[in-house]
Amino acid sequence: KAEYQKILLDGVISEKGGGGLGIITMVRRTDGHIHYKFKKINDKFSYYYYQIQLIFSDKKNSKNVFELISLDRLSKFHELLNNENILLNFNGSFAFQNLESLLPIIESHSIGGKLTKQKIFYLTVKLIRNIVDFADDFVYDKPDSGKRNSRGVYLLSKKSGKLYLTAGNLILNKKITVLGNKIKLIK
């Protein structure tokens, strides 16, 4: 808090336009810990990975400090995404309120011209509608709240000058044969 006040009063601005207030603000609004890792890419650049934990109550408990996913595993996952040229990855609940954020990102992605962007957007909407409408629910330990929670994954990737839209969702094992036969018939 003292460092935050000092930066505000001194008005020191970095060449990027900030005074380090972003990191200080993150620390102040979380449990006070930032887990971080630097991974060297070449002589000029490194990736900076960081992770913060949000506070959901006023009780401060030092036993609550954790890393959701190890930063070593995260950097390996990031490397895999880069190696496969995956430009966008969304994994989780495909509820409509979540999609309001996802679709504009896809629409604004700088891939190809206007026609290509429109095709990507249209096909992405179709893939996501399929997840929302047809994914089978998997309930961990909470009873149905009346809202669908369609779990799925969407990837946008580019390889050898071609774009790939990939989607997946939960399906009951007893439906696999019927769906597989429908896909074979359509192909």
Side-chain angles (χ1 to χ4, degrees):
K1 188 173 181 179
E3 185 66 20
Y4 184 82
Q5 292 296 324
K6 180 182 175 201
I7 290 172
L8 282 177
L9 292 173
D10 292 346
V12 178
I13 304 295
S14 72
E15 60 187 57
K16 290 277 190 176
L21 293 177
I23 291 176
I24 293 172
T25 301
M26 284 189 279
V27 170
R28 291 183 68 207
R29 293 186 180 174
T30 64
D31 71 352
H33 292 83
I34 293 182
H35 302 278
Y36 65 93
K37 172 186 174 143
F38 296 100
K39 182 177 179 183
K40 187 174 181 177
I41 295 175
N42 57 34
D43 290 338
K44 190 173 181 179
F45 291 102
S46 292
Y47 270 107
Y48 165 47
Y49 298 98
Y50 55 100
Q51 183 178 69
I52 56 176
Q53 178 178 323
L54 298 178
I55 300 171
F56 289 106
S57 71
D58 291 335
K59 298 177 184 176
K60 291 219 174 192
N61 184 352
S62 62
K63 293 179 185 176
N64 243 354
V65 177
F66 72 99
E67 287 187 71
L68 174 64
I69 183 170
S70 83
L71 294 180
D72 288 333
R73 289 182 62 201
L74 177 65
S75 69
K76 287 177 185 172
F77 177 67
H78 182 226
E79 185 177 339
L80 175 67
L81 291 174
N82 283 337
N83 290 342
E84 294 298 320
N85 207 6
I86 296 174
L87 307 173
L88 180 66
N89 170 35
F90 184 85
N91 180 39
S93 173
F94 279 76
F96 279 111
Q97 57 270 26
N98 294 346
L99 301 180
E100 289 175 357
S101 301
L102 177 63
L103 291 175
I105 293 170
I106 293 166
E107 188 176 37
S108 67
H109 213 287
S110 60
I111 297 175
K114 184 177 180 181
L115 184 60
T116 302
K117 287 181 183 183
Q118 287 174 339
K119 283 182 181 180
I120 292 169
F121 186 80
Y122 175 78
L123 292 169
T124 296
V125 169
K126 291 289 185 190
L127 288 169
I128 291 172
R129 282 296 312 205
N130 187 65
I131 294 170
V132 171
D133 292 342
F134 299 110
D136 290 309
D137 292 331
F138 182 79
V139 179
Y140 294 95
D141 58 355
K142 295 181 181 179
D144 188 4
S145 64
K147 295 181 181 178
R148 279 193 51 79
N149 184 16
S150 304
R151 300 283 302 171
V153 62
Y154 170 84
L155 302 168
L156 173 62
S157 53
K158 185 177 181 181
K159 210 163 213 165
S160 303
K162 296 180 182 178
L163 292 173
Y164 296 89
L165 308 179
T166 307
N169 58 270
L170 288 172
I171 182 171
L172 292 169
N173 290 335
K174 64 184 180 183
K175 295 181 179 180
I176 290 174
T177 303
V178 173
L179 181 59
N181 288 337
K182 283 183 183 179
I183 294 169
K184 286 176 190 172
L185 181 63
I186 292 168
K187 282 177 74 174

